[in-house]
Amino acid sequence: MGKSMNDIAERSQKLVADFLKRQMDAGLTPPSFDPLNVGNAFFQMTARMMSDPAQLAQAQMQLWQNYVSLWQQTTERMMGRTFEPVAEPEKGDRRFKDDAWNEDLVFDYIKQSYLLTARWMQSTVNDVEGLDPKTARKVDFYTRQFADALAPSNFVMTNPEVLRTTMESGGENLVNGLNNLLEDLDRGNGKLAIRMTDYDAFEIGRNIAVTPGKVVYQNKLMQLIQYTPTTEKVARRPLMIIPPWINKFYILDLREKNSFIKWAVDQGHTVFVLSWVNPDETLSEANFEDYMTHGPLAALDAIEQATGESDVNAIGYCLGGTLLACTLAVMKAREDDRIASATYFTTMIDFTDAGELSVFVDEEQLAALETEMSQKGYLEGSSMATTFNMLRSNDLIWSFVVNNYLLGKEPFPFDLLYWNSDSTRMPAAMHIYYLRKMYQENKLVEPGGLTLLDTPIDLSTVDQPTFILSTKEDHIAPWKSTYAATNIYGGPVKFCLSASGHIAGVVNPPAAGKYCYWTNSRKNKDPDAWLKNATQHDGSWWPEWQSWIAKYTGGEVAARQPGDGKLPAIEDAPGSYVKVTSN
């Protein structure tokens, strides 16, 4: 073992030296200090905490009492007695799934000691009075990040599985892990770009995003894909899907078994999907109005040429839903009624409570972001990916640190994580407008608060029949925030709440037999009251949506083949825009 560790040290030293030389040769500089403005938030928290020493002393006494209980229980267990644990992991916490965390006295003590301390830290900062809500949320968020980072599962000497693997392999896992770490740093140009899956296992258009179709229109911001019908008759009204441009559209077309796009085609819809460009510096000035003009408005014109139909049913997902709502308000002011119904997947229009993403939106961070984007004209896709990953850091960061770097394993092939890693850039002008006007100032919900295409936006004028799909565990678009739209739109609204989160709750095909969803025919201003009286249904919400949308399909016509209309096929689906990477 000693010889192995010496060999590991020598090889590790060379690997690190080679990496540092490459970084210096590339002229890479470290990031600016505290661009997230965390220090100021914790300074305010500390000042408030120290102003109430009695509460601080009480918190310390509570922690001490918990430790005493743990020491007593551990001592009793050493003598062969059994007790209920002082602290247990939450359900679904996979950090402590190895049997040794429960069976081995030492590791059980380490685990419980960590859980006591982490929960004490979180509750102590939560109990500090006098902080404004935004600062309190930021302190809470970064305290959790700190606690998650210090979990014993993240270190060699306090993770039983890693220790076993190190002994069994003679330390080879640590060398392999260091290689994986340095490869990730190289791929991220000095920033850690954790490999979440086997990228070589997937190829867009070969085994992912494979639903047949054709690109029938394109402009500088998007390609419009028309999918090949699988039924002899189709709904007269085409279905236009507007995905977010923060990620790529094929989250709705991962594999045949979980593709919402293919499922919608099989239900008899003529499906059109906007595939957004992955922008570079040439599109730095592209703004929110450009995404509206060259996105849904251009798509409506193209769909009419392709099918002869002037009106459609529309779906907007996340940011794509926000764009859809804005577009409908503009169209209403212009007396343009080409969208017959609107469906929103996990979409916020009222950003009063934007969830944990709001911790990244304050004036100091936005100023730093503007400076960063001004250098290239866009925000790197990796920056957005890191933000979203931090919302579920144990699952999307630390689990891969353990698997890739401590255990030295290769990540498992997983289509969802391949998509999650295939991030897109954000144009500087559009992104800063979106963050300032919607997240920071919440102007979208104010009648006339925003003007787009020379039109004051008033969402209360949007009177199309509306279906809103939210997900109960959503960290990006909290369902109670998305529920606010039910009291804003002017037309009839059906609200449906799915179990699970922002992605899994949406991409939940009926054949999977997973999760559940809730409906309630009675409108209520309070989301908790709505849920209390809602009916729970097993399985996927997709058939529920199909039953609703069937009322707005406008009858049936013969199936339409892509390219048969006035728009010739440009290339096969999924097109070329979606294949442009950010690396």
Side-chain angles (χ1 to χ4, degrees):
M1 186 66 179
K3 183 179 179 181
S4 296
M5 297 311 291
N6 284 332
D7 182 50
I8 289 169
E10 290 178 8
R11 292 162 65 188
S12 300
Q13 187 176 23
K14 184 178 185 303
L15 288 169
V16 174
D18 289 344
F19 169 75
L20 292 175
K21 184 177 184 302
R22 289 195 299 272
Q23 297 297 297
M24 292 177 64
D25 291 343
L28 297 175
T29 57
S32 59
F33 181 71
D34 196 19
L36 300 177
N37 194 34
V38 178
N40 182 56
F42 274 87
F43 177 81
Q44 293 184 47
M45 184 273 293
T46 303
R48 292 288 182 180
M49 181 182 291
M50 298 306 293
S51 68
D52 190 355
Q55 184 176 3
L56 181 59
Q58 184 178 5
Q60 291 174 328
M61 181 60 68
Q62 182 62 52
L63 178 63
W64 175 253
Q65 290 173 347
N66 289 336
Y67 276 145
V68 169
S69 298
L70 177 58
W71 292 334
Q72 289 175 339
Q73 182 211 73
T74 304
T75 302
E76 294 284 350
R77 189 176 169 188
M78 291 174 63
M79 299 171 66
R81 300 177 185 175
T82 58
F83 291 89
E84 288 296 316
V86 176
E88 288 187 282
E90 293 181 0
K91 184 179 179 180
D93 189 341
R94 291 178 289 182
R95 294 175 296 177
F96 305 106
K97 65 181 184 298
D98 191 273
D99 291 340
W101 288 113
N102 296 318
E103 296 172 0
D104 186 282
L105 187 65
V106 173
F107 286 112
D108 181 55
Y109 176 82
I110 292 172
K111 174 193 68 179
Q112 292 195 61
S113 179
Y114 162 74
L115 292 173
L116 286 175
T117 306
R119 290 167 184 172
W120 174 83
M121 283 195 301
Q122 205 76 46
S123 64
T124 300
V125 299
N126 284 341
D127 291 341
V128 175
E129 298 178 352
L131 293 176
D132 66 87
K134 290 185 177 180
T135 299
R137 172 166 275 171
K138 178 176 283 192
V139 168
D140 177 75
F141 179 79
Y142 283 105
T143 299
R144 190 172 74 247
Q145 299 300 312
F146 177 72
D148 289 346
L150 292 181
S153 53
N154 298 335
F155 299 91
V156 175
M157 298 304 295
T158 51
N159 185 320
E161 182 184 7
V162 174
L163 273 177
R164 278 200 312 272
T165 303
T166 302
M167 296 296 292
E168 291 168 359
S169 70
E172 192 66 26
N173 60 304
L174 300 180
V175 175
N176 294 338
L178 183 60
N179 269 313
N180 290 340
L181 172 64
L182 297 180
E183 286 176 5
D184 288 350
L185 286 167
D186 267 340
R187 192 174 66 257
N189 294 320
K191 295 181 179 179
L192 186 59
I194 300 175
R195 192 157 55 103
M196 295 184 173
T197 187
D198 180 1
Y199 298 137
D200 295 331
F202 301 99
E203 182 182 346
I204 295 174
R206 179 177 64 85
N207 59 358
I208 202 167
V210 295
T211 300
K214 302 287 185 182
V215 174
V216 296
Y217 172 82
Q218 67 183 34
N219 58 37
K220 65 180 182 180
L221 285 181
M222 65 91 175
Q223 288 187 318
L224 185 66
I225 302 170
Q226 179 182 354
Y227 286 91
T228 304
T230 58
T231 54
E232 292 184 1
K233 296 286 186 178
V234 296
R236 180 183 67 80
R237 284 195 180 109
L239 178 65
M240 178 177 70
I241 301 178
I242 310 170
W245 53 94
I246 291 176
N247 300 106
K248 295 184 178 180
F249 82 88
Y250 65 87
I251 184 58
L252 297 175
D253 191 28
L254 286 173
R255 304 283 191 100
E256 182 177 345
K257 64 181 181 180
N258 60 2
S259 171
F260 178 83
I261 290 172
K262 184 184 185 307
W263 184 85
V265 169
D266 290 343
Q267 307 312 302
H269 295 282
T270 303
V271 177
F272 289 84
V273 173
L274 282 69
S275 174
W276 299 104
V277 73
N278 193 356
D280 57 19
E281 64 277 359
T282 64
L283 290 172
S284 63
E285 297 302 318
N287 58 31
F288 203 82
E289 292 179 337
D290 291 324
Y291 273 82
M292 182 183 295
T293 301
H294 298 289
L297 292 178
L300 286 170
D301 294 336
I303 290 171
E304 184 171 1
Q305 292 181 65
T307 65
E309 295 294 337
S310 61
D311 54 338
V312 305
N313 293 309
I315 295 176
Y317 191 170
C318 191
L319 176 54
T322 306
L323 177 63
L324 174 60
C326 294
T327 304
L328 287 171
V330 169
M331 293 175 69
K332 182 64 177 180
R334 296 177 174 180
E335 299 183 351
D336 182 346
D337 59 358
R338 288 180 291 168
I339 295 181
S341 74
T343 297
Y344 300 93
F345 295 168
T346 61
T347 296
M348 283 198 297
I349 58 172
D350 184 344
F351 293 78
T352 300
D353 182 5
E356 291 186 331
L357 279 178
S358 62
V359 306
F360 299 98
V361 185
D362 56 33
E363 189 54 43
E364 292 82 4
Q365 289 184 82
L366 291 182
L369 190 62
E370 281 186 293
T371 300
E372 177 185 347
M373 290 192 294
S374 67
Q375 298 173 6
K376 294 184 177 180
Y378 55 82
L379 180 68
E380 288 283 3
S382 58
S383 297
M384 290 298 300
T386 298
T387 298
F388 290 127
N389 291 343
M390 287 177 70
L391 300 182
R392 293 176 53 206
S393 61
N394 283 328
D395 292 332
L396 296 178
I397 297 177
W398 297 112
S399 65
F400 296 102
V401 168
V402 174
N403 182 81
N404 300 5
Y405 306 150
L406 301 187
L407 293 173
K409 295 180 179 179
E410 294 296 315
F412 187 77
F414 188 16
D415 53 5
L416 179 59
L417 290 177
Y418 178 86
W419 168 85
N420 188 64
S421 300
D422 190 12
S423 55
T424 56
R425 309 179 193 99
M426 300 289 277
M430 185 289 305
H431 194 50
I432 203 65
Y433 176 89
Y434 173 57
L435 293 179
R436 281 195 186 280
K437 296 300 181 182
M438 298 185 190
Y439 267 94
Q440 188 181 37
E441 300 176 14
N442 197 23
K443 289 293 185 181
L444 179 56
V445 77
E446 298 178 14
L450 296 178
T451 298
L452 295 169
L453 301 180
D454 300 320
T455 305
I457 301 299
D458 184 355
L459 296 182
S460 67
T461 66
V462 175
D463 56 4
Q464 281 86 351
T466 297
F467 185 101
I468 298 176
L469 185 278
S470 297
T471 56
K472 201 166 186 287
E473 307 301 327
D474 199 328
H475 296 285
I476 296 171
W479 82 268
K480 293 180 183 180
S481 296
T482 63
Y483 183 85
T486 63
N487 296 301
I488 295 174
Y489 296 131
V493 177
K494 178 181 178 68
F495 186 83
C496 178
L497 181 64
S498 173
S500 196
H502 193 75
I503 301 300
V506 175
V507 185
N508 181 30
K514 293 172 63 177
Y515 307 133
C516 64
Y517 66 95
W518 293 265
T519 59
N520 187 345
S521 60
R522 298 186 64 181
K523 190 175 179 179
N524 199 303
K525 288 189 175 183
D526 178 47
D528 290 317
W530 180 92
L531 181 58
K532 181 180 179 181
N533 297 305
T535 301
Q536 180 176 322
H537 312 268
D538 292 334
S540 171
W541 58 270
W542 292 9
E544 183 80 25
W545 172 81
Q546 176 58 27
S547 297
W548 177 85
I549 198 71
K551 295 179 288 187
Y552 308 107
T553 54
E556 290 186 333
V557 297
R560 313 172 177 105
Q561 295 296 327
D564 281 358
K566 295 181 180 179
L567 294 180
I570 298 173
E571 60 180 320
D572 289 337
S576 53
Y577 282 19
V578 73
K579 296 179 181 179
V580 178
T581 66
S582 297
N583 299 326

